């Protein structure tokens, strides 16, 4: 069965500099490489899901500028449906200057531009596509009222929802409640909880208000923690050589969405998502470093 996924979210042109170590405030350091590539959490998730074999529709906004071409190029190459992407004549395509050090860690600034101007009409136009989907995924790099509207639309149509609350932002309880699956990392969990999240299970449980809601907390090299009903399951990840962690969370969410849409049980889906993210960090780049299905299947078979 081919998974049908709708992703609503951001596209950013990633302007990535690689360096031995990050500069301190006021300091200049030399970089050893600079790459302009396709990024944005939403688009990264859409590309990753398509590479995993899903039929993917992307809803979002880009500007009428040269950076939008990067988006069209990767979506067309990977078979992501862009019929519901609007070109915004007043706002520029999102950009993200990124610094990556030799340990693979990153620092990112996002200038969201057109991403912040998604309209209800953009979502309404895709209503039939959403209705036909197995899963809708949203993140927090578009205007938050439209995140809620998209989740509401999917829920009303009986479509499963994943809310990846990234980058970290406080959210109204009503928005969190619209997520069937909530996928924060530890920082995002802390922000959503409004306090200490050292006890991941307790913090995650505090966010779930429906009995059928699940949190899947990503823990980097520690894998993921599933918190659902009375259960709390830790799903370890794969040990790999880390080159660039940018986009790992996006790869994880895409893997989770595809696996759930294909009917995998939750723990199996989290394992699939871990494998997708683990492979992503072994390569430089964001969307372009997400793995194809055969690579994920091969890692899972080891
Ligand atoms: O998650 C990684 C992404 O965050 C990058 O592609 C960058 O554009 C920012 O949105």
């Amino acid at each position: 069965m081919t998974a049908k996924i709708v992703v609503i979210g951001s596209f950013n042109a990633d302007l990535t500099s690689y360096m031995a170590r990050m500069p301190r405030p006021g300091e200049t350091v030399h970089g050893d490489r600079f790459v302009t590539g396709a990024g944005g959490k939403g688009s990264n998730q859409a590309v990753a899901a398509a590479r995993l074999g899903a039929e993917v529709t992307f809803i979002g906004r880009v500007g009428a500028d040269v950076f939008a071409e990067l988006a069209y190029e990767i979506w067309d190459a990977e078979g992501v449906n862009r019929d519901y992407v609007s070109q915004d004549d007043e706002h520029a395509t999102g950009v993200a200057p990124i610094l990556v050090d030799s340990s693979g860690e990153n620092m990112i600034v996002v200038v969201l531009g057109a991403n912040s101007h998604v309209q209800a009409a953009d979502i309404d136009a895709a209503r039939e596509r959403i209705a036909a989907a197995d899963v809708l995924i949203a993140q927090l790099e578009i205007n938050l009222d439209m995140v809620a509207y998209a989740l509401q639309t999917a829920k009303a149509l009986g479509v499963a929802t994943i809310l990846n609350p990234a980058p970290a932002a406080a959210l109204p309880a009503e928005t969190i409640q619209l997520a069937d699956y909530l996928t924060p990392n530890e920082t995002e969990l802390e922000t959503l909880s409004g306090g200490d999240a050292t006890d991941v299970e307790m913090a995650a449980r505090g966010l779930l208000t429906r009995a059928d809601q699940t949190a899947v907390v990503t823990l980097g090299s520690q894998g993921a923690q599933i918190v659902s009903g009375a259960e709390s399951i830790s799903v370890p990840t794969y040990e790999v050589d880390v080159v660039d962690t940018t986009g790992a969370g996006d790869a994880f969410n895409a893997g989770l969405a595809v696996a759930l849409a294909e009917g995998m049980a939750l723990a199996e889906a989290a394992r699939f998502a871990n494998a997708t993210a683990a492979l992503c960090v072994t390569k430089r780049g964001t969307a372009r470093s997400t793995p194809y299905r055969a690579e994920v299947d091969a890692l899972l078979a080891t």
Side-chain angles (χ1 to χ4, degrees), residues 61-226:
R61 282 205 166 218
V62 293
D65 51 37
V66 67
F67 285 143
E69 297 303 323
L70 285 174
Y72 299 146
E73 195 186 306
I74 196 160
W75 294 334
D76 294 350
E78 303 298 342
V80 173
N81 179 332
R82 58 171 167 108
D83 291 351
Y84 305 97
V85 173
S86 304
Q87 188 175 291
D88 192 313
D89 293 329
E90 287 171 35
H91 303 97
T93 299
V95 290
I98 301 176
L99 307 184
V100 180
D101 70 14
S102 58
S103 73
E105 283 306 322
N106 63 61
M107 291 172 82
I108 306 180
V109 176
V110 280
V111 184
L112 291 177
N115 294 304
S116 301
H117 297 274
V118 170
Q119 311 284 317
D122 299 337
I123 297 164
D124 292 342
R127 199 175 163 82
E128 272 183 35
R129 274 279 163 167
I130 298 173
D134 301 301
V135 176
L136 175 135
I137 323 178
Q139 331 69 32
L140 306 182
E141 284 188 334
I142 61 167
N143 31 335
L144 298 187
D145 52 339
M146 288 302 112
V147 170
Y149 185 69
L151 294 172
Q152 248 162 22
T153 303
K155 291 297 292 167
L157 293 167
V159 175
T161 54
I162 297 180
L163 175 58
N164 173 218
L171 286 178
E174 301 77 52
T175 303
I176 297 175
Q177 208 191 3
L178 293 165
D180 294 320
Y181 301 90
L182 186 69
T183 58
N185 63 19
E186 287 165 283
T187 313
E188 292 147 8
L189 180 63
E190 196 173 295
T191 303
L192 288 177
S193 315
D196 182 21
T198 29
D199 185 333
V200 168
E201 181 184 344
M202 199 200 283
R205 246 180 234 302
L207 296 172
L208 305 179
T209 50
R210 289 193 281 121
D212 57 351
Q213 258 184 317
T214 298
V216 184
V217 183
T218 55
L219 304 169
S221 60
Q222 302 303 305
Q225 182 88 19
I226 300 172

Side-chain angles (χ1 to χ4, degrees), residues 10 12 14 38-41 44 96 98 108 110 141 246-247 250 286:
S10 56
N12 298 322
D14 284 355
K41 295 184 192 302
N44 294 343
I98 301 176
I108 306 180
V110 280
E141 284 188 334
T246 321
D250 302 329
T286 41

